[in-house]
Amino acid sequence: MPKVSQRAQDIPPFFVMEVMRAANEREVAQQAVYHMEVGQPGTSAPEGALRAAEEALRNERLGYTDALGIPDIRQGIANRYREIYGLAVAPERIVVTTGSSAGFVLAFLAAFDPGDRVALAAPGYPCYRNILSALGIEPVLLPAELSDRFQPTEALLDKARESGPLAGLIVASPSNPTGTMLGTQAMKDLAAYCAKHDTRLISDEIYHGITYESDADCALAFNPDAVIINSFSKYFSMTGWRLGWMVMPDDLVRVTESLSQNLYISPPTLSQIAGVAALDCAEELDRNVAQYARNRELLLEALPNAGFDSIAPADGAFYLYADVSHMTNDSDAFCRTILAKTGVAITPGIDFDPDRGNRFVRFSFAGPTETMAAAAQAQRDWREG
Ligand SMILES: Cc1ncc(COP(=O)(O)O)c(C=O)c1O
């Protein structure tokens, strides 16, 4: 028999997709389902983006573009850094990607070699460690604590460096699955730590724009060598358009361009045209964020009554990460039971933290407010019944 690569077999599934499949099976069987498993907006792309795409479909050839993206979107994104963060970024440093997911592949290939060690917080977005492993780079999980908002700390990094140098550190603020953010001082400290130890800082800023207590800091403000990764998937509500971007430091632009030409040729043309228009849709997009804020309020009030009373500070994104150790020590089985008994689909923590995830679950509140209210009630009825 021809072989199947060991490297590929070692990559675990993304459990949230399995929960989604089970939830969809319930739906097909006409049973109630409250979707709180998937981390994607329930809204479509903003109106301006849809109009631009319609027009382009009729009137443009939609061939390949430059590997780094069309000039308009690179300029528009560069402008955004000045408007939002007061940062001067040359459009030549903007790399448009096929979602931030392709951004990770490009960034990791550009910055790291096989065998390099890259640190990241657990709990964290599972694809970071799985993409690193698929590329032969060693993910070094930092067991982050609630007292540090589940974010990396210098002490955790010092400990990780006892086993060898760290070529990189990945941070996400707000984070998935916790929604927690790094305060300005904490981000500054991590940025300085990376500079001191020749560690490449990779900052996933995909949830910027979806924050509730304070604005998020762009890591570029504190570390000029950082790679910034972002996307049209969350704030811009364009998951399926597969459009993201990176701000690359000067030394990585050319290598990233060559990688991108070879791996992807170019990001999707129609999506890039729609993305340019989406950059001007703040009013509509901020209404989506206001809805997430309402959902968050509702759940923070209702979930403790259903037994979920230990929730990480939900600073941003659209997630609540709850400690359920008083209810289970098997979060996967617990989520399956909840889906079967109440129709509420949530994600087991093992997706995000292989060691401690059995004590946690993640609720996504990106969907309609009515769904959130009904889901909270269903949980409560079940717990009380
Ligand atoms: C933290 C984080 N980064 C990146 C992604 C990937 O997003 P995309 O490839 O759609 O840009 C996700 C998706 O849920 C995420 O939660």
Side-chain angles (χ1 to χ4, degrees):
M1 280 290 279
K3 68 181 262 183
V4 175
S5 95
Q6 193 52 51
R7 189 176 49 186
Q9 291 182 72
D10 288 345
I11 303 301
F14 194 5
F15 284 99
V16 65
M17 307 305 281
E18 317 254 310
V19 178
M20 204 159 92
R21 190 170 55 207
N24 291 342
E25 280 167 12
R26 262 182 77 95
E27 244 163 14
V28 170
Q30 313 261 317
Q31 292 172 295
V33 177
Y34 309 102
H35 286 283
M36 299 183 78
E37 78 282 30
V38 241
Q40 68 172 338
T43 44
S44 70
E47 194 48 44
L50 295 175
R51 270 201 307 274
E54 266 167 14
E55 157 95 18
L57 264 181
R58 298 270 161 233
N59 301 319
E60 305 276 342
R61 191 173 63 88
L62 300 175
Y64 295 135
T65 72
D66 194 275
L68 298 184
I70 57 176
D72 279 1
I73 197 163
R74 295 176 74 197
Q75 182 68 57
I77 291 169
N79 294 347
R80 198 172 162 76
Y81 280 85
R82 184 183 305 281
E83 286 155 18
I84 295 186
Y85 310 104
L87 292 171
V89 174
E92 292 73 29
R93 290 174 58 194
I94 306 294
V95 174
V96 183
T97 57
T98 306
S100 69
S101 301
F104 294 125
V105 175
L106 290 170
F108 297 167
L109 283 170
F112 308 125
D113 282 311
D116 279 349
R117 303 171 74 239
V118 173
L120 62 166
Y125 179 58
C127 304
Y128 303 142
R129 63 181 140 84
N130 293 340
I131 296 172
L132 288 168
S133 300
L135 298 176
I137 303 160
E138 185 188 341
V140 179
L141 296 188
L142 308 172
E145 294 295 341
L146 174 61
S147 51
D148 297 311
R149 294 184 124 67
F150 288 122
Q151 292 283 356
T153 62
E154 292 185 44
L156 288 169
L157 288 166
D158 280 343
K159 182 114 192 24
R161 283 179 44 255
E162 284 171 10
S163 315
L166 294 172
L169 167 67
I170 302 173
V171 296
S173 168
S175 130
N176 176 7
T178 61
T180 59
M181 283 165 63
L182 284 161
T184 300
Q185 192 56 47
M187 177 69 100
K188 256 189 200 164
D189 291 345
L190 289 178
Y193 188 101
C194 287
K196 182 168 164 204
H197 295 285
D198 293 329
T199 298
R200 181 77 69 176
L201 178 60
I202 309 248
S203 180
D204 179 357
E205 305 190 349
I206 188 168
Y207 291 105
H208 280 212
I210 308 177
T211 57
Y212 309 106
E213 305 290 345
S214 59
D215 291 338
D217 290 300
C218 178
L220 208 52
F222 311 124
N223 185 323
D225 298 320
V227 173
I228 308 300
I229 301 192
N230 209 320
S231 173
F232 283 82
S233 288
K234 310 292 170 162
Y235 173 71
F236 293 94
S237 190
M238 294 175 68
T239 45
W241 297 71
R242 308 310 303 131
L243 191 66
W245 76 85
M246 298 190 284
V247 184
M248 275 294 175
D250 288 328
D251 60 335
L252 294 185
V253 172
R254 183 64 190 134
V255 289
T256 307
E257 181 172 21
S258 303
L259 284 165
S260 182
Q261 289 166 343
N262 282 284
L263 287 178
Y264 303 110
I265 299 191
S266 64
T269 308
L270 182 63
S271 303
Q272 292 187 65
I273 294 168
V276 175
L279 292 170
D280 289 327
C281 294
E283 209 180 302
E284 178 178 343
L285 297 170
D286 288 342
R287 278 202 299 276
N288 294 347
V289 178
Q291 184 193 316
Y292 305 144
R294 282 195 297 278
N295 293 354
R296 170 180 175 270
E297 290 263 297
L298 186 150
L299 291 174
L300 285 178
E301 190 167 325
L303 285 181
N305 296 330
F308 300 94
D309 49 11
S310 175
I311 294 175
D315 303 320
F318 29 58
Y319 304 115
L320 298 176
Y321 197 58
D323 184 336
V324 289
S325 52
H326 55 298
M327 299 194 254
T328 185
N329 57 13
D330 180 347
S331 62
D332 189 31
F334 184 67
C335 290
R336 285 175 203 276
T337 304
I338 288 186
L339 180 63
K341 301 281 184 200
T342 69
V344 179
I346 55 175
T347 309
I350 44 168
D351 239 353
F352 312 104
D353 187 342
D355 296 325
R356 298 168 299 171
N358 264 320
R359 292 173 16 212
F360 293 89
V361 295
R362 186 195 74 174
F363 293 85
S364 165
F365 55 84
T369 306
E370 310 80 68
T371 305
M372 303 302 126
Q377 188 59 47
Q379 292 283 23
R380 199 171 158 179
D381 292 348
W382 175 57
R383 294 281 298 167
E384 285 172 358

